[in-house]
Amino acid sequence: MSKRIILVGPSATGKNFIREQFVQKGYKADCSYTTRKPREGEIDGIDYKFISREGFQDGVAFNHFYEWVIYNDQCYGTGLKEWNECDIFIMETDGIGHIKPEDRNESLVIYVNTSLKTRIDRMKERGWDEKRILERVKVDEDKFKD
């Protein structure tokens, strides 16, 4: 089995950009599932598989996911099929904690970060309002504190 690469880090740090660089080198990227609404320009089945909360709950009940978490009141998960077929993943920190020890030995976890100013600028570019930005920064501070 080849090594898996897992990118993790706060919002707007460039994880998708880095994943795309690996894809251009021939790596197969996972397309995670989420219950959140698509951002402008995101394409279902490419950026994420956007599904309803009920559909996500069914996936959990039928063991469709290798790992899944609730983050910022939305569900995110890695499909079991994708886990077995892909090389590079973006996961939430809690999701990494669900990786089986034997799979962890075959995974390279890369923490991605950048300055707070850069992250906030990127969130503004996404059209996020000040309240949403502050909430996300707070969630990330709690999740990624030393």
Side-chain angles (χ1 to χ4, degrees):
M1 170 171 293
S2 63
K3 292 261 186 199
R4 291 180 184 91
I5 299 168
I6 303 169
L7 305 173
V8 63
S11 302
T13 56
K15 296 179 297 290
N16 287 316
F17 175 81
I18 293 169
R19 178 179 60 185
E20 184 57 32
Q21 302 310 300
F22 278 101
V23 168
Q24 290 177 14
K25 301 280 186 199
Y27 289 77
K28 185 174 180 184
D30 165 54
C31 185
S32 297
Y33 293 81
T34 185
T35 58
R36 77 162 171 76
K37 300 293 181 208
R39 295 180 190 132
E40 186 175 333
E42 286 184 327
I43 300 169
D44 186 37
I46 294 179
D47 298 293
Y48 282 96
K49 293 174 185 165
F50 297 98
I51 62 175
S52 68
R53 180 143 327 230
E54 295 77 22
F56 199 96
Q57 290 169 337
D58 287 346
V60 169
F62 291 103
N63 295 317
H64 177 74
F65 298 108
Y66 176 80
E67 62 80 26
W68 64 273
V69 299
I70 297 175
Y71 177 73
N72 208 27
D73 199 34
Q74 298 296 330
C75 301
Y76 293 86
T78 302
L80 186 57
K81 179 179 187 266
E82 289 82 1
W83 178 258
N84 290 322
E85 295 178 358
C86 296
D87 306 305
I88 185 159
F89 302 80
I90 295 175
M91 286 188 185
E92 297 297 332
T93 54
D94 294 338
I96 289 173
H98 297 147
I99 296 174
K100 297 174 187 170
E102 61 271 21
D103 291 334
R104 181 102 183 190
N105 290 336
E106 295 295 324
S107 301
L108 172 64
V109 178
I110 300 173
Y111 176 70
V112 180
N113 204 357
T114 190
S115 73
L116 180 58
K117 180 188 181 320
T118 299
R119 292 178 49 225
I120 289 172
D121 289 346
R122 290 176 180 167
M123 289 181 219
K124 287 178 181 176
E125 288 171 10
R126 293 177 180 173
W128 295 10
D129 63 29
E130 210 57 40
K131 181 179 184 246
R132 184 173 179 196
I133 291 171
L134 291 174
E135 288 171 352
R136 183 55 65 94
V137 167
K138 174 68 174 125
V139 167
D140 285 340
E141 282 177 355
D142 291 343
K143 198 170 271 292
F144 294 100
K145 64 184 167 195
D146 291 317

